[in-house]
Amino acid sequence: MITEAILKINPNAEVSVNGEDINNIEWLNGTTPIPVADIEAQFPAVELDNAMQNLRAKRNRLLQDTDFHALSDNTMSADMTTYRQELRDITSGITTVAQANAVVFPTKP
């Protein structure tokens, strides 16, 4: 998480972190060190990014499982159309890790 937080501040940073010890960061290739407090301030954003990535991965698997319904030689039922749209919209309005973790996926028809 430390490296991810650093990259949120400076996407071009080159660092080596020994485990998860925030006090043991090696700044490489002339990367300007970032204060520990600034790095720690990015932890909630990194946690949200990770939770959203997990949510999207599950959503994408569920969409993939029903992709064959969307082929041109199939007529998709209204229930399946609604289900797939609900899956696509599932990340809308999520702004916290708690919200991402509390998502209830729609039931596949």
Side-chain angles (χ1 to χ4, degrees):
M1 179 171 9
I2 296 168
T3 301
E4 293 163 312
I6 291 168
L7 293 176
K8 285 188 100 29
I9 298 167
N10 178 359
N12 298 315
E14 295 183 37
V15 298
S16 175
V17 180
N18 184 10
E20 286 296 316
D21 184 358
I22 198 161
N23 296 307
N24 196 2
I25 300 170
E26 182 180 355
W27 302 93
L28 306 172
N29 296 325
T31 298
T32 302
I34 299 169
V36 169
D38 292 349
I39 297 168
E40 290 174 333
Q42 293 300 314
F43 287 175
V46 170
E47 289 172 350
L48 178 58
D49 288 348
N50 291 339
M52 292 300 290
Q53 183 177 14
N54 291 337
L55 178 60
R56 287 186 183 102
K58 182 174 181 180
R59 184 259 331 258
N60 291 346
R61 282 191 304 275
L62 292 172
L63 280 169
Q64 272 185 324
D65 289 346
T66 61
D67 276 350
F68 69 93
H69 289 285
L71 296 175
S72 62
D73 61 343
N74 282 332
T75 302
M76 193 178 327
S77 70
D79 288 344
M80 184 57 68
T81 300
T82 299
Y83 171 73
R84 288 174 56 84
Q85 187 61 52
E86 287 173 351
L87 287 174
R88 286 191 293 274
D89 294 343
I90 209 153
T91 58
S92 295
I94 294 178
T95 59
T96 67
V97 173
Q99 289 173 330
N101 291 337
V103 164
V104 175
F105 283 86
T107 302
K108 183 178 172 183

